[in-house]
Amino acid sequence: MDQKQQLEELFDKWRRKSNHDATFIEDGIVNLPKWINQRPKVLFFLKEAYGGSFDFIAVMNIKKSHGQKQSDNADLEKFLAEDKAELAAELKIIDPDVILCGNTFHLLQSADIFTGMRKGKSDDYIWNGKLIINYWHPAGRGIVANNEVKYYAIREICRAAHYCFGITAW
């Protein structure tokens, strides 16, 4: 069974949980052929699906239903507590090299999603051989408006992680 089929099976079970309504939105690997050939495999870990259009190859949302542009942390913490096992299973299936947390790191850390991670020199961490980057949401135009600036900031975080953790797989 490939990753897409494993995710579909997980989502079928997940959407039946009592804390989800009819608006359960599947995420995960958006484009499997691109994902298979992607190096490094970068997963965007975001708060909730609200219908924005991003060209991601892989994305996970804490909350799998229609959200707002401004998320309620208490609501997200509730979903993290209730869906922690499913989020961990989804993360295991996707198996990224890099996890870019779009203003979600503090929530994921408090829910102990990344048990045993180590801190790097900047906003980078290593967990199970995966690089975790604590960063803004990709749509955070008010924070960093220029995509080129975002690119170079992420590149420098990756470079610092390379020196700190000796990551050479990319």
Side-chain angles (χ1 to χ4, degrees):
M1 186 173 349
D2 71 20
Q3 289 169 301
K4 199 74 165 164
Q5 292 166 322
Q6 290 176 54
L7 287 171
E8 287 171 9
E9 187 176 292
L10 174 65
F11 293 146
D12 283 344
K13 293 176 187 173
W14 200 340
R15 76 170 35 91
R16 292 187 196 115
K17 288 181 66 173
S18 61
N19 64 323
H20 292 281
D21 57 19
T23 61
F24 184 92
I25 298 172
E26 295 181 7
D27 52 18
I29 300 170
V30 177
N31 187 324
L32 186 60
K34 281 186 176 181
W35 180 254
I36 290 169
N37 296 311
Q38 181 77 24
R39 290 291 180 263
K41 291 178 174 17
V42 179
L43 169 72
F44 290 82
F45 211 138
L46 307 175
K47 291 181 177 182
E48 55 190 326
Y50 65 89
S53 60
F54 300 107
D55 187 25
F56 296 137
I57 295 174
V59 65
M60 280 180 65
N61 290 293
I62 293 170
K63 185 177 174 184
K64 308 284 190 204
S65 58
H66 290 292
Q68 305 297 319
K69 291 191 179 192
Q70 294 292 320
S71 300
D72 176 2
N73 281 348
D75 188 43
L76 293 171
E77 288 167 354
K78 179 183 90 121
F79 276 93
L80 264 171
E82 293 173 358
D83 294 340
K84 182 177 177 177
E86 290 82 5
L87 288 164
E90 184 179 8
L91 195 54
K92 185 176 181 181
I93 292 167
I94 294 172
D95 192 27
D97 300 312
V98 178
I99 302 168
L100 198 144
C101 298
N103 201 21
T104 56
F105 181 79
H106 64 289
L107 295 165
L108 299 168
Q109 186 179 31
S110 69
D112 207 23
I113 296 291
F114 305 123
T115 304
M117 72 178 165
R118 292 181 297 135
K119 173 102 171 80
K121 292 184 178 185
S122 182
D123 284 329
D124 56 290
Y125 301 79
I126 196 81
W127 171 75
N128 291 345
K130 299 166 187 342
L131 175 62
I132 301 170
I133 300 173
N134 180 16
Y135 203 67
W136 300 293
H137 190 284
R141 289 174 180 82
I143 300 167
V144 178
N146 185 323
N147 283 333
E148 188 174 345
V149 170
K150 290 179 188 178
Y151 166 78
Y152 286 113
I154 292 169
R155 187 183 76 177
E156 290 307 309
I157 292 169
C158 290
R159 183 174 291 159
H162 167 76
Y163 290 114
C164 183
F165 299 119
I167 297 171
T168 58
W170 318 322

